[in-house]
Amino acid sequence: MKILGEKIRHYRKLRGISQSELADGICTQATVSLIEKKDKIPSMEILVRICERLGITMNLVIVNDDSQIYSIISDIKKSFYQDDFDGISDKLGKLNNINVNNKQEIKLIHFFHGLIEYVTSKNYDKAIFDFNRAMNVNIANVDMYDILIDIFTAKAYINKKSLDEAKVYYDQAKDLIKSSLDKIGDENYHDSILIYANMSDLSLKLDENQKAMEYANEGIFIARKEQTLFKLDEMYCYLAEAGTREGQKADEDYIKAYVISSVSEDKRVFEKLKSKVKDMHLNIF
């Protein structure tokens, strides 16, 4: 259980009473201060009496662990969609003192810890360790993050120059995608696009150019259907690169990637494409 000290303070101020007045006959003023500033959980008797004096129910100022964990993991996913890895790390820290029992949530926590090791620390051995911990959580039903775990495990092995191991997890991801096509289409479009964008990138890294184009096109189809720019510049970039490798004229895809990236909040793709477009002498407008 977590107490929302700022809510106690809000309702106290709303009633126009001081900490001492709220504490009178119930506890010390210092206890009220600790509740408000440090989210200190008092005894149940004190909490009940404080809520009675404020004229509120306890459910307005307390959050149980399950609700708190769900909220934090939802925030972590939002940070993942925004490539905000510092945000992911910060929110994972909030889970350190909470007892997590739900297997799905345990799997996600291991995955995101691995993701931080992969992206931020570039500790690929530790990332693989965390990804394997996520894989070893025994859950009957496959979800989108099972696919992402395989994808990022393969990417970590690529960074370790272990291509044989990378291909094992790449093939696992391909099989999961093939067996989960209906589910991918029904899921949160962010997760579906992340799968196809990262599979396209992974395919390029393993010289699977045809598969890279296939996955990029699947992700582009979902993005267009959902009318979102989410990862669209990256997917056009992967599509163009794979097409070029296959001897196709990919100017149009490079231009689409460049234009979309120019209006995107994340300028990484735009900076990457600026020199590419210049070197190819592409007529943007």
Side-chain angles (χ1 to χ4, degrees), residues 144 176-187 192 196:
M144 299 303 95
L176 284 177
I177 290 171
K178 190 181 296 184
S179 64
S180 307
L181 285 176
D182 291 340
K183 186 179 290 188
I184 293 174
D186 291 337
E187 283 294 316
S192 302
Y196 286 125

Side-chain angles (χ1 to χ4, degrees), residues 22-243:
L22 178 58
D24 187 33
I26 299 175
C27 59
T28 65
Q29 183 269 332
T31 297
V32 172
S33 179
L34 285 171
I35 292 170
E36 292 186 355
K37 294 180 180 178
K38 303 289 187 181
D39 294 332
K40 173 73 174 177
I41 300 174
S43 70
M44 188 56 65
E45 179 184 356
I46 289 174
L47 182 58
V48 168
R49 293 181 66 188
I50 284 175
C51 288
E52 286 175 347
R53 182 160 291 174
L54 291 172
I56 60 174
T57 57
M58 281 200 301
N59 65 346
L60 289 175
V61 295
I62 61 172
V63 178
N64 62 41
D65 284 350
D66 289 343
S67 298
Q68 190 180 3
I69 293 164
Y70 178 84
S71 176
I72 292 171
I73 289 179
S74 295
D75 287 342
I76 288 172
K77 288 183 179 181
K78 291 175 186 174
S79 294
F80 183 29
Y81 301 152
Q82 297 164 1
D83 291 329
D84 177 13
F85 298 102
D86 287 337
I88 293 173
S89 184
D90 178 63
K91 294 174 182 74
L92 283 172
K94 295 179 180 179
L95 293 169
N96 288 340
N97 298 317
I98 302 176
N99 186 28
V100 183
N101 295 309
N102 180 282
K103 287 186 176 181
Q104 176 65 21
E105 291 169 344
I106 292 170
K107 179 177 74 175
L108 289 175
I109 290 167
H110 288 322
F111 168 69
F112 285 117
H113 274 295
L115 194 65
I116 293 302
E117 296 293 342
Y118 173 81
V119 175
T120 305
S121 304
K122 301 192 185 310
N123 185 340
Y124 302 118
D125 287 322
K126 181 61 168 64
I128 290 167
F129 174 77
D130 286 325
F131 293 147
N132 275 288
R133 290 181 74 188
M135 289 178 205
N136 290 332
V137 177
N138 187 20
I139 300 176
N141 296 322
V142 172
D143 70 8
M144 299 303 95
Y145 279 85
D146 290 300
I147 303 172
L148 287 167
I149 290 164
D150 279 332
I151 291 170
F152 279 96
T153 303
K155 286 188 171 187
Y157 274 117
I158 287 172
N159 281 286
K160 283 170 54 66
K161 313 297 183 187
S162 302
L163 295 186
D164 288 341
E165 287 87 349
K167 286 177 181 176
V168 170
Y169 290 98
Y170 174 64
D171 288 339
Q172 282 184 191
K174 285 195 295 186
D175 289 342
L176 284 177
I177 290 171
K178 190 181 296 184
S179 64
S180 307
L181 285 176
D182 291 340
K183 186 179 290 188
I184 293 174
D186 291 337
E187 283 294 316
N188 177 321
Y189 73 79
H190 290 95
D191 294 338
S192 302
I193 290 172
L194 277 171
I195 286 170
Y196 286 125
N198 279 286
M199 275 301 279
S200 183
D201 179 40
L202 178 56
S203 298
L204 282 171
K205 286 178 167 62
L206 293 171
D207 294 322
E208 296 272 356
N209 301 320
Q210 290 292 335
K211 294 302 289 186
M213 288 189 283
E214 177 186 322
Y215 290 127
N217 277 318
E218 289 289 349
I220 290 166
F221 173 79
I222 294 172
R224 293 176 67 178
K225 183 179 71 173
E226 299 292 340
Q227 299 183 326
T228 178
L229 296 180
F230 181 62
K231 300 294 180 184
L232 194 56
D233 52 353
E234 292 184 28
M235 291 185 291
Y236 272 117
C237 194
Y238 300 146
L239 186 61
E241 187 173 340

